[in-house]
Amino acid sequence: MDIPDSLIDLQRAADAEWARLAELTDNDEREAQRLVWFEAGARAQAAITEWAAAENKNRYAVEVAVRKAVRHPESGSD
């Protein structure tokens, strides 16, 4: 599946925000960062849903392909 770079970039951004969250120990900072992560993830999910609908693709399959491209780029795309 040929995934647009914009979807990959949005998922990378969401993953980066999660990584920042995982490093925090202060509860107030964690709560603030959790919201940042949630919003970044929501943007990625909305873009995946929109693209999948426009391309008549299964949204779940697109999401899996995007996450695979971001988290396991060495395995290549299917």
Side-chain angles (χ1 to χ4, degrees):
M1 184 178 308
D2 190 25
I3 302 297
D5 290 340
S6 60
L7 298 182
I8 292 172
D9 291 344
L10 286 167
Q11 185 62 51
R12 280 188 182 135
D15 286 0
E17 296 302 345
W18 180 87
R20 287 186 193 100
L21 174 63
E23 294 172 352
L24 296 174
T25 56
D26 179 80
N27 284 339
D28 291 336
E29 290 177 356
R30 283 186 60 81
E31 182 58 23
Q33 182 59 31
R34 187 191 67 76
L35 293 173
V36 172
W37 166 59
F38 181 85
E39 290 170 4
R43 283 190 297 275
Q45 287 296 307
I48 288 168
T49 299
E50 182 179 329
W51 187 82
E55 296 294 317
N56 199 30
K57 304 273 187 196
N58 178 282
R59 190 211 53 83
Y60 177 74
V62 173
E63 180 180 350
V64 168
V66 168
R67 289 184 182 198
K68 182 177 178 183
V70 170
R71 298 175 184 169
H72 307 288
E74 68 281 354
S75 66
S77 61
D78 295 334

